[in-house]
Amino acid sequence: MRHEAIDFGWIEAVCRRVGLLQMLQHRSWFEQGLWAAIVGHIGCEMIDHSQIATAETASEIPQDPIALHFITPVRELLKDYAPRAQLSRSAEPIRAVPTATYTILHAAWAATLFRLRRLLQ
C-alpha cells in the first residue's frame, strides 16, 4: 500500500470521533462509511449509475444495466431479476463520472429516503 495515498492520521481522528462503542455496534456499516469518507476526503470517481446500480426498488433500476448490486435488505429481489439477466453479452468499458460534493447531510437524506422506500413497499 502506498502510505501517501491514505492519511492515517485523519482516519485515526475520524475513528476517535466516532468512538469504539459505535464502531463495534455498527461494524459493517462503519467500515463502508469509513471507506466512503476516505474517498470523499482524497477524491475519487464513481461508476456510472446507468451501468452498475444498487438494486433497491424496481422503478429506480436502469433499463439495461451491466451489473446490479443487491444489498442485504433487498437481496430477496434477486429472484425477480435473475430470469431477466442476459447470459451472453459483449464486454463494454465501465464509465466513471466525477463525484459531487457529498456531506453528512446528503448521507442522512439518502438513508432517510431508503428507509421510507422500504416502508412504502
Side-chain angles (χ1 to χ4, degrees):
M1 177 189 312
R2 293 185 359 237
H3 287 278
E4 69 276 4
I6 298 178
D7 182 349
F8 289 100
W10 180 83
I11 292 172
E12 287 181 16
V14 169
C15 291
R16 272 195 308 273
R17 190 170 188 188
V18 171
L20 182 59
L21 182 60
Q22 287 295 316
M23 289 188 294
L24 292 175
Q25 285 180 335
H26 308 284
R27 284 182 186 99
S28 63
W29 288 110
F30 176 75
E31 179 194 4
Q32 293 176 31
L34 184 58
W35 280 114
I38 290 168
V39 298
H41 181 68
I42 63 174
C44 70
E45 291 182 325
M46 300 284 287
I47 295 171
D48 186 340
H49 187 271
S50 69
Q51 289 186 303
I52 301 175
T54 300
E56 292 179 15
T57 60
S59 63
E60 294 179 10
I61 293 175
Q63 192 65 18
D64 190 28
I66 60 174
L68 289 174
H69 174 59
F70 289 83
I71 59 174
T72 302
V74 296
R75 194 135 312 139
E76 72 275 359
L77 295 177
L78 182 58
K79 68 183 181 325
D80 299 327
Y81 294 101
R84 296 186 350 205
Q86 297 176 21
L87 299 179
S88 177
R89 184 177 181 158
S90 59
E92 64 183 87
I94 296 173
R95 295 183 301 271
V97 295
T99 58
T101 302
Y102 195 77
T103 67
I104 192 67
L105 295 175
H106 293 98
W109 180 247
T112 301
L113 289 177
F114 178 78
R115 286 182 178 87
L116 282 173
R117 282 188 209 112
R118 296 283 295 157
L119 289 172
L120 297 175
Q121 287 182 353

